[in-house]
Short mmCIF file of all heavy atoms in Angstrom, two decimals:
data_model
loop_
_atom_site.label_atom_id
_atom_site.label_comp_id
_atom_site.label_asym_id
_atom_site.label_seq_id
_atom_site.Cartn_x
_atom_site.Cartn_y
_atom_site.Cartn_z
N PRO A 1 13.14 -29.75 -62.76
CA PRO A 1 13.03 -28.59 -61.86
C PRO A 1 13.45 -28.88 -60.43
O PRO A 1 14.05 -28.05 -59.76
CB PRO A 1 11.54 -28.23 -61.95
CG PRO A 1 11.15 -28.66 -63.33
CD PRO A 1 11.91 -29.94 -63.56
N ARG A 2 13.14 -30.09 -59.95
CA ARG A 2 13.48 -30.43 -58.56
C ARG A 2 14.99 -30.57 -58.34
O ARG A 2 15.46 -30.58 -57.20
CB ARG A 2 12.78 -31.73 -58.16
CG ARG A 2 13.24 -32.96 -58.92
CD ARG A 2 12.51 -34.22 -58.47
NE ARG A 2 12.93 -35.40 -59.22
CZ ARG A 2 12.44 -35.74 -60.40
NH1 ARG A 2 11.49 -34.99 -60.96
NH2 ARG A 2 12.87 -36.82 -61.02
N SER A 3 15.74 -30.69 -59.45
CA SER A 3 17.19 -30.82 -59.32
C SER A 3 17.91 -29.52 -59.65
O SER A 3 19.14 -29.50 -59.76
CB SER A 3 17.71 -31.94 -60.24
OG SER A 3 17.64 -31.56 -61.60
N MET A 4 17.15 -28.42 -59.79
CA MET A 4 17.74 -27.13 -60.10
C MET A 4 17.51 -26.16 -58.95
O MET A 4 16.58 -26.32 -58.16
CB MET A 4 17.12 -26.55 -61.38
CG MET A 4 17.38 -27.39 -62.62
SD MET A 4 16.91 -26.54 -64.17
CE MET A 4 15.12 -26.46 -63.99
N ALA A 5 18.37 -25.14 -58.88
CA ALA A 5 18.22 -24.11 -57.85
C ALA A 5 18.63 -22.76 -58.42
O ALA A 5 19.48 -22.68 -59.31
CB ALA A 5 19.08 -24.45 -56.63
N VAL A 6 18.01 -21.72 -57.89
CA VAL A 6 18.34 -20.34 -58.29
C VAL A 6 19.06 -19.67 -57.13
O VAL A 6 18.54 -19.62 -56.02
CB VAL A 6 17.05 -19.54 -58.62
CG1 VAL A 6 17.42 -18.12 -59.06
CG2 VAL A 6 16.23 -20.24 -59.68
N ALA A 7 20.27 -19.17 -57.39
CA ALA A 7 21.02 -18.46 -56.36
C ALA A 7 20.60 -17.00 -56.35
O ALA A 7 20.81 -16.27 -57.32
CB ALA A 7 22.52 -18.59 -56.62
N TRP A 8 20.01 -16.56 -55.25
CA TRP A 8 19.49 -15.20 -55.14
C TRP A 8 20.18 -14.48 -53.99
O TRP A 8 20.17 -14.95 -52.85
CB TRP A 8 17.98 -15.24 -54.91
CG TRP A 8 17.32 -13.90 -54.87
CD1 TRP A 8 17.64 -12.79 -55.59
CD2 TRP A 8 16.19 -13.53 -54.06
NE1 TRP A 8 16.78 -11.75 -55.29
CE2 TRP A 8 15.88 -12.19 -54.35
CE3 TRP A 8 15.41 -14.22 -53.14
CZ2 TRP A 8 14.83 -11.51 -53.75
CZ3 TRP A 8 14.36 -13.54 -52.53
CH2 TRP A 8 14.07 -12.20 -52.84
N THR A 9 20.80 -13.34 -54.28
CA THR A 9 21.50 -12.56 -53.25
C THR A 9 20.69 -11.36 -52.78
O THR A 9 21.03 -10.74 -51.79
CB THR A 9 22.84 -12.03 -53.78
OG1 THR A 9 22.58 -11.06 -54.82
CG2 THR A 9 23.69 -13.16 -54.34
N GLY A 10 19.64 -11.01 -53.54
CA GLY A 10 18.90 -9.79 -53.25
C GLY A 10 19.41 -8.61 -54.06
O GLY A 10 18.79 -7.54 -54.08
N GLY A 11 20.54 -8.79 -54.76
CA GLY A 11 21.08 -7.74 -55.62
C GLY A 11 20.32 -7.65 -56.93
O GLY A 11 19.51 -8.52 -57.26
N LYS A 12 20.60 -6.62 -57.71
CA LYS A 12 19.83 -6.37 -58.94
C LYS A 12 19.99 -7.49 -59.97
O LYS A 12 19.02 -7.87 -60.63
CB LYS A 12 20.25 -5.04 -59.57
CG LYS A 12 21.67 -5.01 -60.13
CD LYS A 12 22.03 -3.65 -60.68
CE LYS A 12 23.35 -3.68 -61.44
NZ LYS A 12 24.46 -4.34 -60.73
N ASP A 13 21.22 -8.02 -60.14
CA ASP A 13 21.45 -9.05 -61.15
C ASP A 13 20.71 -10.34 -60.82
O ASP A 13 20.03 -10.91 -61.67
CB ASP A 13 22.95 -9.33 -61.29
CG ASP A 13 23.73 -8.14 -61.81
OD1 ASP A 13 23.10 -7.21 -62.35
OD2 ASP A 13 24.96 -8.12 -61.68
N SER A 14 20.86 -10.79 -59.59
CA SER A 14 20.21 -12.05 -59.22
C SER A 14 18.70 -11.89 -59.11
O SER A 14 17.95 -12.86 -59.28
CB SER A 14 20.79 -12.61 -57.91
OG SER A 14 20.50 -11.77 -56.83
N THR A 15 18.22 -10.67 -58.83
CA THR A 15 16.77 -10.44 -58.80
C THR A 15 16.21 -10.46 -60.21
O THR A 15 15.11 -10.99 -60.45
CB THR A 15 16.44 -9.11 -58.11
OG1 THR A 15 16.93 -9.14 -56.75
CG2 THR A 15 14.94 -8.87 -58.07
N LEU A 16 16.96 -9.92 -61.17
CA LEU A 16 16.56 -10.03 -62.57
C LEU A 16 16.52 -11.50 -62.98
O LEU A 16 15.58 -11.96 -63.64
CB LEU A 16 17.53 -9.26 -63.47
CG LEU A 16 17.37 -9.49 -64.98
CD1 LEU A 16 15.97 -9.09 -65.46
CD2 LEU A 16 18.45 -8.72 -65.75
N LEU A 17 17.53 -12.25 -62.59
CA LEU A 17 17.57 -13.69 -62.87
C LEU A 17 16.35 -14.38 -62.28
O LEU A 17 15.69 -15.18 -62.97
CB LEU A 17 18.84 -14.29 -62.27
CG LEU A 17 18.90 -15.82 -62.22
CD1 LEU A 17 19.00 -16.40 -63.62
CD2 LEU A 17 20.07 -16.28 -61.35
N LEU A 18 16.05 -14.09 -61.03
CA LEU A 18 14.90 -14.70 -60.36
C LEU A 18 13.61 -14.35 -61.09
O LEU A 18 12.73 -15.20 -61.28
CB LEU A 18 14.83 -14.23 -58.91
CG LEU A 18 13.67 -14.74 -58.06
CD1 LEU A 18 13.67 -16.26 -57.99
CD2 LEU A 18 13.76 -14.15 -56.64
N TRP A 19 13.47 -13.08 -61.51
CA TRP A 19 12.30 -12.64 -62.27
C TRP A 19 12.17 -13.43 -63.56
O TRP A 19 11.07 -13.87 -63.94
CB TRP A 19 12.40 -11.15 -62.55
CG TRP A 19 11.29 -10.59 -63.39
CD1 TRP A 19 10.04 -10.22 -62.98
CD2 TRP A 19 11.34 -10.33 -64.81
NE1 TRP A 19 9.30 -9.74 -64.05
CE2 TRP A 19 10.08 -9.81 -65.19
CE3 TRP A 19 12.32 -10.49 -65.78
CZ2 TRP A 19 9.78 -9.44 -66.50
CZ3 TRP A 19 12.03 -10.14 -67.10
CH2 TRP A 19 10.77 -9.62 -67.44
N LEU A 20 13.29 -13.65 -64.25
CA LEU A 20 13.29 -14.41 -65.51
C LEU A 20 12.83 -15.85 -65.28
O LEU A 20 11.97 -16.36 -66.00
CB LEU A 20 14.70 -14.41 -66.11
CG LEU A 20 15.16 -13.15 -66.84
CD1 LEU A 20 16.67 -13.17 -67.03
CD2 LEU A 20 14.46 -13.05 -68.19
N VAL A 21 13.41 -16.49 -64.28
CA VAL A 21 13.07 -17.89 -64.00
C VAL A 21 11.61 -18.01 -63.59
O VAL A 21 10.88 -18.90 -64.05
CB VAL A 21 13.99 -18.45 -62.89
CG1 VAL A 21 13.53 -19.85 -62.47
CG2 VAL A 21 15.44 -18.50 -63.36
N ARG A 22 11.17 -17.11 -62.73
CA ARG A 22 9.78 -17.14 -62.26
C ARG A 22 8.81 -16.88 -63.42
O ARG A 22 7.80 -17.59 -63.58
CB ARG A 22 9.56 -16.09 -61.16
CG ARG A 22 8.15 -16.02 -60.60
CD ARG A 22 8.10 -15.05 -59.43
NE ARG A 22 6.77 -14.96 -58.87
CZ ARG A 22 5.85 -14.07 -59.27
NH1 ARG A 22 6.14 -13.19 -60.23
NH2 ARG A 22 4.65 -14.05 -58.72
N THR A 23 9.11 -15.88 -64.25
CA THR A 23 8.26 -15.56 -65.40
C THR A 23 8.17 -16.73 -66.36
O THR A 23 7.08 -17.10 -66.82
CB THR A 23 8.80 -14.32 -66.14
OG1 THR A 23 8.83 -13.21 -65.25
CG2 THR A 23 7.93 -13.99 -67.34
N TYR A 24 9.32 -17.33 -66.66
CA TYR A 24 9.36 -18.47 -67.58
C TYR A 24 8.58 -19.66 -67.00
O TYR A 24 7.79 -20.30 -67.70
CB TYR A 24 10.80 -18.86 -67.85
CG TYR A 24 10.95 -20.01 -68.83
CD1 TYR A 24 11.06 -19.78 -70.20
CD2 TYR A 24 10.97 -21.33 -68.39
CE1 TYR A 24 11.18 -20.82 -71.10
CE2 TYR A 24 11.08 -22.39 -69.28
CZ TYR A 24 11.20 -22.13 -70.63
OH TYR A 24 11.30 -23.18 -71.52
N SER A 25 8.80 -19.94 -65.73
CA SER A 25 8.14 -21.08 -65.10
C SER A 25 6.63 -20.92 -65.08
O SER A 25 5.88 -21.86 -65.39
CB SER A 25 8.67 -21.27 -63.67
OG SER A 25 10.05 -21.51 -63.67
N LEU A 26 6.15 -19.72 -64.72
CA LEU A 26 4.71 -19.48 -64.67
C LEU A 26 4.09 -19.54 -66.06
O LEU A 26 2.99 -20.09 -66.25
CB LEU A 26 4.44 -18.11 -64.03
CG LEU A 26 4.79 -17.99 -62.54
CD1 LEU A 26 4.59 -16.56 -62.06
CD2 LEU A 26 3.97 -18.96 -61.70
N LYS A 27 4.79 -18.99 -67.05
CA LYS A 27 4.27 -18.99 -68.42
C LYS A 27 4.10 -20.40 -68.95
O LYS A 27 3.13 -20.71 -69.67
CB LYS A 27 5.21 -18.20 -69.33
CG LYS A 27 4.76 -18.17 -70.79
CD LYS A 27 5.72 -17.38 -71.65
CE LYS A 27 5.27 -17.36 -73.11
NZ LYS A 27 6.21 -16.59 -73.97
N HIS A 28 5.02 -21.29 -68.61
CA HIS A 28 5.00 -22.65 -69.13
C HIS A 28 4.44 -23.66 -68.13
O HIS A 28 4.52 -24.87 -68.36
CB HIS A 28 6.41 -23.07 -69.57
CG HIS A 28 6.95 -22.26 -70.71
ND1 HIS A 28 6.64 -22.52 -72.03
CD2 HIS A 28 7.76 -21.17 -70.73
CE1 HIS A 28 7.25 -21.65 -72.82
NE2 HIS A 28 7.93 -20.81 -72.06
N SER A 29 3.87 -23.15 -67.05
CA SER A 29 3.26 -24.01 -66.02
C SER A 29 4.24 -25.08 -65.53
O SER A 29 3.91 -26.26 -65.42
CB SER A 29 2.00 -24.67 -66.57
OG SER A 29 1.04 -23.71 -66.95
N ILE A 30 5.48 -24.63 -65.25
CA ILE A 30 6.53 -25.51 -64.76
C ILE A 30 6.85 -25.11 -63.33
O ILE A 30 6.79 -23.92 -62.98
CB ILE A 30 7.80 -25.39 -65.62
CG1 ILE A 30 7.48 -25.67 -67.09
CG2 ILE A 30 8.87 -26.36 -65.13
CD1 ILE A 30 8.65 -25.39 -68.01
N ALA A 31 7.18 -26.08 -62.52
CA ALA A 31 7.54 -25.78 -61.13
C ALA A 31 8.75 -24.87 -61.07
O ALA A 31 9.72 -25.06 -61.82
CB ALA A 31 7.82 -27.08 -60.38
N ILE A 32 8.70 -23.87 -60.22
CA ILE A 32 9.84 -22.98 -60.02
C ILE A 32 10.92 -23.75 -59.25
O ILE A 32 10.62 -24.40 -58.25
CB ILE A 32 9.44 -21.73 -59.23
CG1 ILE A 32 8.39 -20.93 -60.02
CG2 ILE A 32 10.66 -20.85 -58.94
CD1 ILE A 32 7.84 -19.74 -59.27
N PRO A 33 12.16 -23.74 -59.73
CA PRO A 33 13.23 -24.45 -59.01
C PRO A 33 13.40 -23.91 -57.59
O PRO A 33 12.87 -22.86 -57.24
CB PRO A 33 14.48 -24.14 -59.86
CG PRO A 33 13.94 -23.79 -61.22
CD PRO A 33 12.64 -23.09 -60.95
N LYS A 34 14.15 -24.63 -56.79
CA LYS A 34 14.45 -24.17 -55.44
C LYS A 34 15.15 -22.81 -55.52
O LYS A 34 15.95 -22.57 -56.40
CB LYS A 34 15.36 -25.17 -54.72
CG LYS A 34 14.71 -26.52 -54.42
CD LYS A 34 15.72 -27.43 -53.72
CE LYS A 34 15.11 -28.79 -53.41
NZ LYS A 34 14.02 -28.70 -52.42
N ILE A 35 14.83 -21.93 -54.59
CA ILE A 35 15.46 -20.62 -54.53
C ILE A 35 16.29 -20.57 -53.26
O ILE A 35 15.78 -20.81 -52.17
CB ILE A 35 14.41 -19.50 -54.52
CG1 ILE A 35 13.52 -19.60 -55.76
CG2 ILE A 35 15.08 -18.13 -54.47
CD1 ILE A 35 12.28 -18.74 -55.70
N ILE A 36 17.58 -20.31 -53.43
CA ILE A 36 18.47 -20.33 -52.27
C ILE A 36 19.06 -18.95 -52.02
O ILE A 36 19.50 -18.27 -52.93
CB ILE A 36 19.59 -21.38 -52.43
CG1 ILE A 36 20.33 -21.20 -53.76
CG2 ILE A 36 19.03 -22.77 -52.34
CD1 ILE A 36 21.45 -22.20 -53.97
N PHE A 37 19.03 -18.56 -50.77
CA PHE A 37 19.59 -17.28 -50.33
C PHE A 37 20.73 -17.60 -49.38
O PHE A 37 20.52 -18.14 -48.30
CB PHE A 37 18.53 -16.43 -49.63
CG PHE A 37 19.05 -15.12 -49.12
CD1 PHE A 37 19.29 -14.06 -49.97
CD2 PHE A 37 19.32 -14.95 -47.76
CE1 PHE A 37 19.77 -12.84 -49.50
CE2 PHE A 37 19.80 -13.74 -47.28
CZ PHE A 37 20.04 -12.69 -48.15
#
């Protein structure tokens, strides 16, 4: 997780992506990767 990052633009597609990553990470008790804007 520390070597991964989520590219977030604020648009609908990347926000859906961010929601997916966050949901998956919380469900599996894994650290959320870095989020870059």
Side-chain angles (χ1 to χ4, degrees):
R2 65 180 178 277
S3 71
M4 298 191 292
V6 181
W8 184 35
T9 67
K12 68 183 189 311
D13 296 344
S14 65
T15 300
L16 170 59
L17 168 69
L18 178 58
W19 177 81
L20 282 164
V21 173
R22 180 174 180 269
T23 300
Y24 181 90
S25 299
L26 293 175
K27 179 180 179 180
H28 296 278
S29 300
I30 305 172
I32 298 175
K34 293 180 180 294
I35 302 168
I36 52 180
F37 178 76

